[in-house]
Amino acid sequence: MQITGAILVGANDRTGGSTFQAVDPASGETLSPAFHEASPTDVDAACALAAEAFPTFRDLALDVRAAFLESIAEEIAALGDDLIVRAMAESGLPRARLEGERGRTMGQLKLFASVLREGSWMDVTIDPAMPDRAPLPRPDLRRLNVALGPVAVFGASNFPLAFSVAGGDTASALAAGCPVVVKGHPAHPGTGELVARAVRAAVAKAGLPAGVFSYLPGTTNELGGALVADARIKAVGFTGSRGGGLALVKIASERPEPIPVYAEMSSVNPVVLFPAAARNRGAALGEAYVASLTQGAGQFCTNPGLVIALEGSDLAAFEASAAAAMGKTPAGQMLTPAIHGLYSKGVDALAAHAAVETVARGPVGEGVNQAQGAIFAASADAFASDPVLGHEVFGSSSIVVRARDMDEVKRIIRGLEGQLTATVLFDEEDEELVAEIVPLLAERSGRVLGNGWPTGVEVSHAMVHGGPFPATSDGRTTSVGTLAIARFLRPVCYQNLPDRVLPPALRSDNPYGVARRVDGTMTQA
Amino acid sequence: MQITGAILVGANDRTGGSTFQAVDPASGETLSPAFHEASPTDVDAACALAAEAFPTFRDLALDVRAAFLESIAEEIAALGDDLIVRAMAESGLPRARLEGERGRTMGQLKLFASVLREGSWMDVTIDPAMPDRAPLPRPDLRRLNVALGPVAVFGASNFPLAFSVAGGDTASALAAGCPVVVKGHPAHPGTGELVARAVRAAVAKAGLPAGVFSYLPGTTNELGGALVADARIKAVGFTGSRGGGLALVKIASERPEPIPVYAEMSSVNPVVLFPAAARNRGAALGEAYVASLTQGAGQFCTNPGLVIALEGSDLAAFEASAAAAMGKTPAGQMLTPAIHGLYSKGVDALAAHAAVETVARGPVGEGVNQAQGAIFAASADAFASDPVLGHEVFGSSSIVVRARDMDEVKRIIRGLEGQLTATVLFDEEDEELVAEIVPLLAERSGRVLGNGWPTGVEVSHAMVHGGPFPATSDGRTTSVGTLAIARFLRPVCYQNLPDRVLPPALRSDNPYGVARRVDGTMTQA
């Protein structure tokens, strides 16, 4: 598959006025070809096609839409090593990581195909008529979830495959029956185009309307803003910075018809280290902490950016072990010069902060755009008195907050903003304390995990990758896992309508064979 | 139970600076006693108590919270006829209607109690650990829905019982485990206080923290604004005007931590009259239309404010029959002088509109604040060219749009804003056309109903009383029926945590005996 730099509007390749190029962050070199910047005209064309495609795509038989998702996975596989090589050049991420991410991307698409076929995502609910009920008869009521309409997806820089063009947001939106218009991330436009061409090939093979998918490369905020403002777009999926997410939320809320924005934005992912665990295995945990913190140069939404623990010799041992590990961990390649610049600025600010102690710095990188790891420490008082210390520094930087007692630990937790994850590191003797702390953490996060590290995010039914504001703009949802489909659905009730007028899933003969709740009780087909 | 005019903050009766009184809309007379206006200090106190009560109330055993909801219903019943008499005086609604509404209010509370015990609202989902999976083991993941936090509820004028102090929003929020702070509607403060005292009695009998419920009477927008702006409030339920709803949405979105607002605002509830139905039974449908339109002086969110049909003699017969019925339908008592004023203004504007024909007016009322019914007509072109003709006039006013052909009907539908309901009136010969039109209506509404009238809203599992903006501020939900509980929940995932630390519904022994999805498959307890 050729990378041409085109704008992919439905089945058409378009060109624009200005162009931009990708940069290899490991070398600082500019990569060919040049990519055309999508314009408001392209946004308009893509949204018009998406709106046109919507009724057909929404009403597809479940199996047809499921097969389409599987076909996208196959087309991505068919891109072969070209995809991996280009993604390596554009992201600086290593081969093994990108091969794993490709597997995850394909797995997500197939998982949503299975979700589609299983059918409980529609939440089919039937209250049969009660014609003889007094004083008033009950009508026949049938409810199911339906697609919202065309969805705008903004890819993330740190997952050029799994959270970009055909990543989690796109997979869940397509599964729901929503056409997708992707605003491509400018850090990996070639990777994006390859995947977009794979999706387009699947659209064509399935004989679907071309408007089911469009891909708009570009570098400007104006492009993203025009897409979110388009009246035909009915929801937005975004993974990125807090500033970027909030800007889209604002545009969406000021439309004549406001729409939901699912922005996954920022999180420091607090880790609470309990006393017995610190005493029994502080040194080992310190090493594991650095491994999680520096993985992928710390460029994960769920990076452990904050450790909370009781001050004293056990914590000192944890810190010493972490410092030793950090000293031996090479600097990590970052995704873009801009991300590296922000990281360095954030770390320098913490290092210069009067109330912050530098516990350890990793080795200085040998190449360009490499993250020199950093571990800082502060007292609970200092942490509580300056909100900046609780803000995310995207990359392998973390701060240890030393509390005098568990009450202070609780106070720190109560002062935290919403988080994607919260972690408890504990031994059996800690369990009573853990039982007190976990509800406080659950109140402020989407996932609470025990004796592990938050950087692994399983794609499954029970996963929640979400959390209260500002971790996300809508804490009622998840962007990873099968529940993500719910973001792009709304319920509709049909009352006293004959079978031939009803959506198939609501008809008497239940042609899809989905489980349905009838008069309050779940029934299998 | 005495009506004192107090502000009910948890277990305490408080007084304020200024006072206001209710007005009997049927006589225009002021009713005793005077009610204290809640102040920002009262908001602060109520929210502080609610936040304090939240963890206890959220973590109550399901059966205890369910019994509490049932106890509220019993306490409302125990208010006896005092409640009905006061509500009649404050609302102008007749006894039978209010007795029915009281039954519905109690029924809602009991229905949510049954939902709580059944447990599927938690959507418990377990992906068991796979320690031997390659290349990486899968952790144990357990997800459930948890309460958002304290909820602010704004009662509706038109349902002083079923959508006010202990109405649908309060019942669903309490069911979810959210403490509730009610901003009382100033049109029925005595009714509100009586119900608030009933809820308070149930709180005390159950031995719950007093902050589970507070009641703030008041007349000002500032009071409502302060409540929505309070950092401890985590969601808002509102039923009322578009202006009021949008004002709350704005305040909520500008908070440091934005929160969801579920505002049910406005709808004209289009009714499409199909050719064969018009031909076969136009006269009967015309009569039934007026009965639905004038019921309760038209003061229903689901009032049929718009009829779309093909022009011609069949539609003329429908209109003539409707006009005759309207001429015989006495003016209806409206809820407040303000609502009556807005109604009259809206009707006068339509009557004076150059492109609008007055088909019929009802008799002029004999008392004060009575709605003189009105049916108007306009061509499809006229309707399409002035958005004002598509706006809700709250009360018994409706407009018939005469289309030249079905394409024009479709065009009108495509131009409609989001609606709570859409209705199709058809005979068997119409079904092919109906099958084309219903998807267009479903795209723009929360409920599509056949051969009935939208004014009846069943409280059940399959009901949707919601719809795309501006029918509501969040079309992904419903404010009537059991699904309403979902508005006040968010998912949380627990990873690799021992039973004693987990919420009961996630523990291995499943103490509540709820159905759970395990590894993607539903399992009964």
Side-chain angles (χ1 to χ4, degrees), chain B residues 16-42:
Chain B
S18 55
T19 62
F20 68 100
Q21 285 177 265
V23 171
D24 181 340
S27 66
E29 279 168 27
T30 299
L31 299 168
S32 287
F35 292 85
H36 294 271
E37 290 264 6
S39 69
T41 315
D42 300 314

Side-chain angles (χ1 to χ4, degrees), chain A residues 431-481:
Chain A
E431 279 196 18
E432 205 159 315
L433 284 176
V434 173
E436 279 176 42
I437 296 286
V438 161
L440 298 182
L441 294 172
E443 214 171 303
R444 288 158 183 82
S445 64
R447 176 166 57 115
V448 182
L449 61 145
N451 288 329
W453 296 93
T455 31
V457 183
E458 183 74 25
V459 182
S460 71
H461 299 287
M463 178 49 64
V464 176
H465 188 67
F469 186 93
T472 76
S473 58
D474 189 337
R476 295 164 294 174
T477 65
T478 176
S479 61
V480 176

Side-chain angles (χ1 to χ4, degrees), chain A residues 127-141 495-496, chain B residues 456-459:
Chain A
D127 296 328
M130 294 175 163
D132 303 325
R133 191 184 63 174
L136 287 172
R138 181 169 81 178
D140 179 89
L141 295 162
Q495 176 175 326
N496 281 352
Chain B
V457 183
E458 183 75 25
V459 182

Side-chain angles (χ1 to χ4, degrees), chain B residues 178-415:
Chain B
C178 300
V180 167
V181 180
V182 171
K183 152 70 174 67
H185 198 289
H188 52 260
T191 307
E193 184 183 332
L194 286 172
V195 175
R197 290 193 180 279
V199 179
R200 178 196 272 182
V203 170
K205 281 193 184 166
L208 299 178
V212 164
F213 179 81
S214 288
Y215 171 71
L216 307 177
T219 59
T220 68
N221 292 342
E222 287 69 29
L223 170 60
L227 180 57
V228 173
D230 191 286
R232 291 156 295 198
I233 294 295
K234 300 301 183 191
V236 178
F238 169 91
T239 301
S241 69
R242 194 192 294 204
L246 293 183
L248 297 185
V249 167
K250 188 164 192 297
I251 293 168
S253 70
E254 290 171 351
R255 291 166 40 125
E257 180 196 2
I259 53 172
V261 174
Y262 303 105
E264 194 266 79
M265 300 188 288
S266 66
S267 182
V268 294
N269 305 295
V271 176
V272 182
L273 171 59
F274 284 81
R279 189 167 62 242
N280 298 339
R281 51 197 177 100
L285 288 171
E287 271 185 53
Y289 164 49
V290 170
S292 174
L293 176 62
T294 58
Q295 193 191 344
Q299 299 168 120
F300 291 104
C301 323
T302 54
N303 206 46
L306 173 65
V307 174
I308 308 166
L310 298 189
E311 62 187 10
S313 58
D314 297 333
L315 179 57
F318 170 88
E319 290 180 17
S321 162
M326 185 56 97
K328 289 181 287 191
T329 305
Q333 183 63 52
M334 298 204 86
L335 290 156
T336 71
I339 288 173
H340 179 257
L342 282 173
Y343 172 75
S344 300
K345 208 173 132 188
V347 168
D348 290 350
L350 287 173
H353 196 289
V356 172
E357 177 188 323
T358 298
V359 173
R361 295 300 309 262
V364 174
E366 289 172 7
V368 291
N369 302 317
Q370 294 191 348
Q372 188 196 356
I375 299 174
F376 300 102
S379 71
D381 284 343
F383 185 80
S385 57
D386 188 350
V388 165
L389 302 187
H391 287 178
E392 184 185 26
V393 176
F394 190 70
S396 47
S397 167
S398 189
I399 185 162
V400 178
V401 173
R402 301 163 179 160
R404 273 174 296 232
D405 52 33
M406 287 312 290
D407 280 347
E408 213 166 59
V409 169
K410 288 181 191 169
R411 211 151 44 234
I412 289 293
I413 293 171
R414 288 206 171 90

